[in-house]
Amino acid sequence: MNFLIKILYLISKLPLKVLYVFSDIIFFLNHYIVGYRKNVITQNLKNSFPKKTDEEIAEIRKKFYLNFSDYLVETVKSFSISETESRVRMQHINQEVFHEAKAEGKNVIMLAGHVFNWEWINALAKVIPQDHCHPVYRKVNSDFWENQMKKVRNKFGNEALEANEVIMHIFRSKSKGSSAYMFVADQTPHFSHVNYGLEFLNQRTPVFIGYDKLATRMDLAFIYCEMKKVKRGYYQVNYHRIYPDGEKFVENEVVKKFHRLLENTLNKRPDNYLWSHRKWKYQDSIKTFDSEKI
């Protein structure tokens, strides 16, 4: 395993323009030969955008393969990317919302989707006023990859937390206004935890609601991270504060507003989402479905 780590690190030291050659090869294999999860991707796109023609769906799928291939090599690059290069390649817009939360004495919950390239958001820890930044991740079956990805997410002063421990960590945190938690919030709940669902992208969608429960119990600042691929190797993330309609958040208000914002992002740039994951596989197991249009 140590040998594999060294090989990965050496590959990650290559310039991105070289790594993108590997990306082009991966794209060619995925799109023209292997057809990686082609049926899943196509069905997800057709269900999400029922008004689009087969030609439009095929074009989105092709662009997805391009973006997905870039994502893979960019994730490898994450092993050695410097803070300077990371901040050049990922532009953080509207950082004022973090300063507002700090002034209000509120810890921050950041909500992002599986929009490329969410893995490169880590250098944000160096530019916002919060002292502690906690990327939240899901444990993987391989101890090797678990350790490697945790190292990547702990770069730039981050303190990564596994999903099962983050809620208790937030409740116990006494550093009001000095902590930020980064959720990839469109995770599909485990089969045993599919309780609440809503209509998202024209489909019954099981949603993770752990962060929403925090909204009604604690005085936190919620921030949506709108990812945008400007061009190959360069991204922008625009931060939007999510406010309650009333004095305080009510049950399921944050989860609805997050999915509304994410849906708007995907309608503008549909090829930049992780369509290969089976987000809707448990939709028939939803116990409480909220039919209200988000």
Side-chain angles (χ1 to χ4, degrees):
M1 288 298 186
N2 287 334
F3 177 73
L4 180 56
I5 294 170
K6 290 177 181 177
I7 292 297
L8 279 173
Y9 186 78
L10 287 174
I11 293 173
S12 76
K13 295 289 285 184
L14 293 171
L16 267 170
K17 63 181 179 180
V18 176
L19 290 176
Y20 285 136
V21 174
F22 291 100
S23 175
D24 290 339
I25 295 170
I26 295 169
F27 162 72
F28 181 83
L29 292 173
N30 272 338
H31 182 62
Y32 292 105
I33 298 176
V34 178
Y36 171 71
R37 291 195 173 182
K38 182 178 179 179
N39 291 338
V40 172
I41 296 164
T42 303
Q43 196 59 56
N44 281 344
L45 287 170
K46 285 186 174 182
N47 291 341
S48 298
F49 306 106
K51 293 183 179 179
K52 292 190 180 296
T53 65
D54 289 345
E55 291 76 15
E56 289 173 318
I57 293 296
E59 183 62 22
I60 295 171
R61 185 179 62 228
K62 180 179 181 180
K63 290 180 179 178
F64 159 77
Y65 278 129
L66 284 165
N67 291 327
F68 179 66
S69 301
D70 283 355
Y71 160 75
L72 293 177
V73 300
E74 288 167 1
T75 300
V76 172
K77 185 64 179 177
S78 298
F79 283 86
S80 64
I81 194 170
S82 68
E83 178 189 340
T84 300
E85 184 174 8
S86 182
R87 288 175 64 174
V88 168
R89 293 187 175 279
M90 178 69 80
Q91 184 181 11
H92 301 279
I93 301 173
N94 196 25
Q95 297 175 31
E96 291 83 0
V97 293
F98 294 97
H99 292 273
E100 291 171 3
K102 177 81 170 180
E104 295 168 12
K106 296 179 180 180
N107 286 342
V108 171
I109 305 294
M110 297 165 55
L111 304 176
H114 282 92
V115 179
F116 303 124
N117 187 341
W118 70 91
E119 293 286 0
W120 274 10
I121 203 171
N122 281 354
L124 175 70
K126 291 292 188 179
V127 299
I128 59 176
Q130 283 70 24
D131 300 317
H132 306 283
C133 289
H134 304 283
V136 180
Y137 69 96
R138 273 191 173 181
K139 196 175 185 68
V140 296
N141 293 328
S142 167
D143 290 339
F144 171 75
W145 287 113
E146 168 84 8
N147 292 331
Q148 299 317 305
M149 292 312 296
K150 189 168 184 178
K151 286 180 182 178
V152 168
R153 287 165 181 153
N154 275 337
K155 291 183 68 173
F156 311 127
N158 286 294
E159 306 161 50
L161 292 171
E162 205 276 321
N164 289 332
E165 63 184 2
V166 65
I167 301 297
M168 189 57 65
H169 189 281
I170 294 172
F171 276 121
R172 289 176 176 172
S173 176
K174 297 179 181 179
S175 53
K176 288 294 184 181
S178 62
S179 294
Y181 299 85
M182 309 174 185
F183 284 80
V184 182
D186 60 339
Q187 298 278 5
T188 301
H190 186 272
F191 176 77
S192 60
H193 297 129
V194 176
N195 295 312
Y196 176 78
L198 44 73
E199 185 176 320
F200 170 67
L201 290 172
N202 298 297
Q203 300 172 77
R204 291 169 56 93
T205 306
V207 294
F208 173 70
I209 58 174
Y211 59 87
D212 191 277
K213 290 180 179 179
L214 293 168
T216 58
R217 299 179 187 180
M218 302 180 71
D219 196 11
L220 299 163
F222 288 83
I223 294 173
Y224 173 62
C225 311
E226 183 179 19
M227 305 288 298
K228 177 183 178 182
K229 187 172 187 176
V230 179
K231 62 180 180 178
R232 195 175 217 184
Y234 293 90
Y235 297 86
Q236 288 179 348
V237 54
N238 198 344
Y239 299 99
H240 305 275
R241 181 81 176 264
I242 300 175
Y243 292 100
D245 289 336
E247 191 173 318
K248 294 183 178 180
F249 286 110
V250 298
E251 186 179 18
N252 300 324
E253 184 177 0
V254 173
V255 73
K256 287 181 182 178
K257 288 183 173 181
F258 162 68
H259 280 85
R260 184 187 303 140
L261 289 163
L262 179 58
E263 186 172 85
N264 182 59
T265 297
L266 300 184
N267 281 326
K268 290 186 289 187
R269 294 177 288 274
D271 55 283
N272 216 34
Y273 190 57
L274 190 61
W275 295 108
S276 55
H277 66 162
R278 294 184 171 92
K279 182 171 179 59
W280 291 277
K281 61 183 176 180
Y282 296 139
Q283 62 180 199
D284 293 333
S285 301
I286 296 171
K287 296 178 180 66
T288 302
F289 178 68
D290 192 330
S291 59
E292 182 183 353
K293 185 72 174 176
I294 64 171

